[in-house]
Amino acid sequence: MIRRLVFVSVLSVLSAGCFEKEENKQPVANQTLTVSAVQTKTKDVDLAFEYTGKAQGSKETEVRARVGGILLKRNYTEGSNVQAGQVLFEIDPEPYKIALDKATAQLDQQTADLNAAEKQFERVKSLGEKGFSSSKAQDDAEARVLSIRASINVAKAAYEDAKLNYEYTKVTAPISGTTSMEVHSEGSLISTAGENSLLTTITQYDPIYAVFSMSDNELFKLVDMVKKGYIRNPRGTDEVKAKIELADGSVYDKDGVINFINPMVDKDTGTLKLRAVFDNPKQQIIPGQFLRVSLEGLTRQNAIVLPKTAVMQGANGSFVYVVGADGKVATRPVVTGYTTKAGEWIIDEGLEENETVVLDNLVKIKPGMPVNVKLQETVPSSGSVSQTAGIASQSVQKTTE
């Protein structure tokens, strides 16, 4: 009897425990999931595209000898600024002075011969009119005048050539700018052939160019967005502003503008070269310097901005979850564009203003599910777009739609 009572008591305890566990497993009925969401608003977002570029002088000219000879003198300090027309080098002028004197003497002789021939022709012509000279004598006198005139033209050309060569012994600066090191020292024999004619290089620092490359896909995307009216220049012009960030992270205090886009795509890299021009009066930027170039002055109009966490990637592309007026969740395909500096997506297509987009619990909700919405502040409107060396990477949160 005692054993029987103990067995019944044990069964009662176990049954009570199992019943209690079953009760604990019962779900809470009619509990609706609460999600955070934002209400979409349209706003204008300033665009800024960043690239790695290189400084280049607005003019870079090689100074070469145009006549050969001994380099006698250098009249400037290497690395200094020179003015256009300034004499930089002097080549031994003596051989060219002799050639010029010879050409001058020959021209003077031909001029004197012409003077005598013209007088002789006038006398023969006068005698012919009186019947004291034959027609042949007149023709010969006239022919001599014409021959000497032709010889004078040759002598004048020889004189101009000799004069020019003599002037070339003084090598002048073709442009104003900063000189490089000399290539040949004083006393060297200079020729006009090949690299032996190079004396120095002059670079114009002000203005200065910043040259960089843009992918052809990015350019086509920008053009397409402009055509669709997504992007405009608030200045109402085609001018695109540029800024420079130096290697130490400081921003150059003068703005530039894009003044050239290469019409040809580089077949090896698939990129287009662009050039921005900047005033550089203090020569703070020097050719060859690597720079970070930012293109500004473009505005993405009526943009809808969302946190990246709100954008999902499914089998058919990017999508977001929206909550309708009935409080139920629905999927909405979207097309993402650029990203802001704060890391949000700009939505190009798929959403309108005043739609409710879910931000969290994305793996717990499904289309058609009712949810409670907790609205949060809208995405900050101050973040300008920053694209480093091209279009933003289309990386979004991976999930299954």
Side-chain angles (χ1 to χ4, degrees):
M1 178 63 70
I2 294 174
R3 289 180 180 177
R4 190 172 182 180
L5 290 174
V6 171
F7 180 72
V8 171
S9 299
V10 171
L11 285 179
S12 299
V13 171
L14 291 175
S15 298
C18 291
F19 180 74
E20 183 179 353
K21 289 181 180 179
E22 290 296 326
E23 281 188 339
N24 291 338
K25 289 182 179 180
Q26 294 298 323
V28 179
N30 300 324
Q31 183 177 359
T32 303
L33 184 66
T34 298
V35 296
S36 299
V38 291
Q39 198 165 38
T40 58
K41 300 292 182 184
T42 60
K43 55 181 173 287
D44 291 348
V45 179
D46 293 334
L47 303 180
F49 303 91
E50 295 184 356
Y51 305 88
T52 299
K54 197 173 184 179
Q56 176 181 302
S58 53
K59 289 183 180 179
E60 295 180 355
T61 302
E62 294 179 339
V63 179
R64 293 184 177 271
R66 302 176 75 170
V67 294
I70 300 299
L71 184 62
L72 295 183
K73 191 176 182 182
R74 170 170 54 82
N75 296 321
Y76 71 96
T77 302
E78 295 170 291
S80 64
N81 292 329
V82 296
Q83 300 299 315
Q86 179 179 336
V87 177
L88 304 181
F89 299 93
E90 293 181 26
I91 297 172
D92 183 11
E94 288 305 318
Y96 300 99
K97 180 65 168 60
I98 293 172
L100 177 59
D101 291 343
K102 182 178 179 180
T104 302
Q106 289 175 342
L107 179 58
D108 291 342
Q109 181 180 351
Q110 293 294 333
T111 303
D113 289 346
L114 177 61
N115 186 46
E118 287 177 339
K119 289 179 179 179
Q120 178 64 21
F121 173 62
E122 289 298 327
R123 285 194 295 267
V124 172
K125 183 179 178 182
S126 177
L127 291 173
E129 292 174 352
K130 297 176 180 179
F132 297 112
S133 175
S134 65
S135 297
K136 183 178 183 306
Q138 295 180 53
D139 292 342
D140 289 344
E142 184 179 11
R144 177 169 173 74
V145 169
L146 295 176
S147 176
I148 295 177
R149 284 177 179 173
S151 298
I152 283 183
N153 289 334
V154 174
K156 284 182 177 179
Y159 168 80
E160 292 296 334
D161 183 59
K163 180 183 177 184
L164 196 60
N165 287 336
Y166 178 69
E167 291 173 350
Y168 283 160
T169 60
K170 295 184 182 297
V171 182
T172 59
I175 63 171
S176 300
T178 304
T179 58
S180 67
M181 290 191 301
E182 65 176 5
V183 179
H184 301 285
S185 61
E186 295 169 341
S188 300
L189 178 61
I190 305 301
S191 72
T192 59
E195 290 304 312
N196 198 38
S197 66
L198 180 63
L199 300 177
T200 189
T201 302
I202 299 177
T203 303
Q204 194 170 89
Y205 285 49
D206 185 24
I208 195 82
Y209 289 151
V211 180
F212 58 96
S213 295
M214 174 189 289
S215 71
D216 55 349
N217 289 334
E218 180 174 4
L219 182 62
F220 297 151
K221 179 180 175 67
L222 282 173
V223 171
D224 182 62
M225 295 184 74
V226 171
K227 288 181 179 178
K228 291 179 178 178
Y230 292 159
I231 294 178
R232 69 177 176 86
N233 189 332
R235 304 185 199 183
T237 67
D238 293 332
E239 187 178 90
V240 178
K241 186 170 67 174
K243 283 185 174 295
I244 284 178
E245 181 180 320
L246 304 178
D248 61 359
S250 62
V251 178
Y252 186 55
D253 59 356
K254 296 184 182 299
D255 293 342
V257 295
I258 302 300
N259 70 338
F260 176 75
I261 300 176
N262 195 333
M264 301 292 291
V265 176
D266 189 313
K267 62 181 180 180
D268 296 324
T269 62
T271 59
L272 288 165
K273 279 194 178 299
L274 291 87
R275 186 179 70 196
V277 58
F278 295 82
D279 290 334
N280 189 31
K282 299 180 181 179
Q283 298 186 8
Q284 293 173 262
I285 304 171
I286 59 176
Q289 185 176 356
F290 285 96
L291 309 165
R292 176 71 68 183
V293 184
S294 298
L295 304 188
E296 300 181 349
L298 297 174
T299 299
R300 174 65 167 86
Q301 299 184 101
N302 301 321
I304 292 176
V305 179
L306 288 178
K308 281 194 172 182
T309 55
V311 182
M312 314 286 282
Q313 183 72 12
N316 297 320
S318 301
F319 71 96
V320 296
Y321 285 122
V322 296
V323 180
D326 57 359
K328 295 182 178 180
V329 174
T331 59
R332 181 71 58 78
V334 294
V335 176
T336 57
Y338 300 111
T339 57
T340 67
K341 285 184 177 180
E344 299 91 4
W345 283 118
I346 294 179
I347 306 301
D348 285 342
E349 298 178 13
L351 289 175
E352 302 291 338
E353 194 170 19
N354 296 321
E355 295 198 74
T356 303
V357 178
V358 181
L359 299 180
D360 60 8
N361 289 318
L362 300 179
V363 296
K364 297 180 181 180
I365 57 179
K366 296 180 180 180
M369 175 187 293
V371 292
N372 290 326
V373 175
K374 182 181 179 182
L375 285 178
Q376 295 191 354
E377 293 292 329
T378 57
V379 179
S381 60
S382 59
S384 62
V385 170
S386 175
Q387 306 302 94
T388 302
I391 296 293
S393 172
Q394 300 291 317
S395 59
V396 292
Q397 184 175 345
K398 299 288 185 179
T399 189
T400 302
E401 185 175 356

